[in-house]
Amino acid sequence: MTTLAIHYEQLVRDKVAQDNAFKNQLRVWFVQQVWSFTSQDEDYEKVARQAAYLLVNKLLFYAALEQRLHLDPLSIPEDLTDGGILKGVLQAYFQKVLVDIDYETIFSTDFIDALAFPQHIDAVNTVKGLVRDINRYRLAELGYDVIGRIFERLIPESERHKLGQYFTNTDVVDIILRFCLGDNVKAKVLDPACGTGTFLVRAYQHKKLIDPRLKHNDILPTLWGFD
């Protein structure tokens, strides 16, 4: 992700220098994130990391859905070297999920991930290599805790602390849920900062353990989370 962020940073710098409308949009986006845009190096780094994170997040999530819902596997032609074409290829996969299934929260395009893909061969090769690596594993069969750790490590620890993002160990989560839920399978669980969803997933499993007869559609209405 670091390689992608480097090239996204240069892309954002160039667009700010050449396009006043984009610069104004960027200022608005910063305000929405409760940040201030001062055209400092740190500002460009923030945007670049966010753009890279969103793209990697979509690739990982698509791969997990692909194996579970039998979607077309992610595939990028080996001879592809153009960043614009690469973005179009990937967006076609994401758009099909949006139209045919949903997952708007993940695959919808906002101001940042609508950025053009960097026109640099290193950035293109980085994504191609990532897709090859992703296709080697069956993400849908990995434990949620493994997936959660993957997403966690996409954001540097220093950045997570700046954003107030902390990840609770599953053993601690289980203890908290046991105290809060007891044997009440009808109890509602709200996680107002659900992140990778550890509390919600463990709460689901906790209820199933208490009453194996519970159906999926009976448990879902009792679990609420946003981030």
Side-chain angles (χ1 to χ4, degrees):
M1 198 175 83
T2 301
T3 300
L4 281 181
I6 290 172
H7 295 297
Y8 267 119
E9 182 179 342
Q10 188 58 53
L11 171 63
V12 174
R13 287 180 182 275
D14 292 343
K15 287 180 73 67
V16 166
Q18 301 165 7
D19 188 341
N20 284 330
F22 175 83
K23 186 175 183 178
N24 291 332
Q25 285 181 299
L26 188 60
R27 289 185 186 279
V28 171
W29 182 81
F30 262 75
V31 170
Q32 292 171 342
Q33 313 307 311
V34 200
W35 292 335
S36 296
F37 181 70
T38 58
S39 293
Q40 300 298 311
D41 289 345
E42 183 180 358
D43 296 337
Y44 294 109
E45 291 169 4
K46 283 181 179 178
V47 182
R49 287 196 300 270
Q50 184 77 350
Y53 173 79
L54 288 172
L55 177 59
V56 174
N57 187 54
K58 288 181 177 182
L59 292 173
L60 288 170
F61 204 87
Y62 182 94
L65 289 177
E66 168 215 317
Q67 295 156 8
R68 187 175 296 275
L69 302 179
H70 308 293
L71 304 175
D72 292 335
L74 285 168
S75 177
I76 302 173
E78 282 299 322
D79 60 350
L80 192 155
T81 58
D82 185 277
I85 296 176
L86 172 61
K87 182 173 179 62
V89 169
L90 295 177
Q91 192 56 43
Y93 285 106
F94 304 151
Q95 187 63 30
K96 184 169 178 57
V97 177
L98 271 173
V99 173
D100 294 350
I101 305 173
D102 192 2
Y103 292 99
E104 181 178 355
T105 303
I106 300 294
F107 294 110
S108 59
T109 302
D110 68 8
F111 169 68
I112 291 303
D113 58 0
L115 283 171
F117 191 82
Q119 283 289 2
H120 196 289
I121 190 61
D122 286 348
V124 173
N125 285 339
T126 295
V127 172
K128 289 164 67 174
L130 176 59
V131 169
R132 283 195 300 269
D133 289 341
I134 288 173
N135 286 337
R136 291 171 53 202
Y137 301 97
R138 297 195 59 80
L139 295 184
E141 296 178 2
L142 294 178
Y144 77 93
D145 53 333
V146 176
I147 297 294
R149 291 298 177 184
I150 291 173
F151 284 114
E152 174 185 341
R153 291 180 181 276
L154 289 178
I155 305 176
E157 185 175 355
S158 59
E159 186 70 11
R160 294 202 305 271
H161 284 295
K162 288 180 183 178
L163 298 173
Q165 295 178 343
Y166 298 93
F167 298 87
T168 310
N169 184 281
T170 54
D171 292 335
V172 177
V173 171
D174 288 340
I175 292 173
I176 293 173
L177 288 172
R178 184 60 185 168
F179 274 115
C180 293
L181 299 182
D183 293 329
N184 184 3
V185 296
K186 295 183 179 179
K188 292 184 178 179
V189 177
L190 168 65
D191 186 349
C194 58
T196 55
T198 302
F199 270 93
L200 299 176
V201 173
R202 297 300 284 187
Y204 182 102
Q205 295 177 334
H206 179 81
K207 290 175 181 245
K208 264 292 193 183
L209 185 63
I210 294 171
D211 185 355
R213 297 169 300 175
L214 280 175
K215 296 181 179 179
H216 178 71
N217 290 335
D218 294 329
I219 300 176
L220 284 187
T222 68
L223 306 178
W224 296 81
F226 58 92
D227 197 78

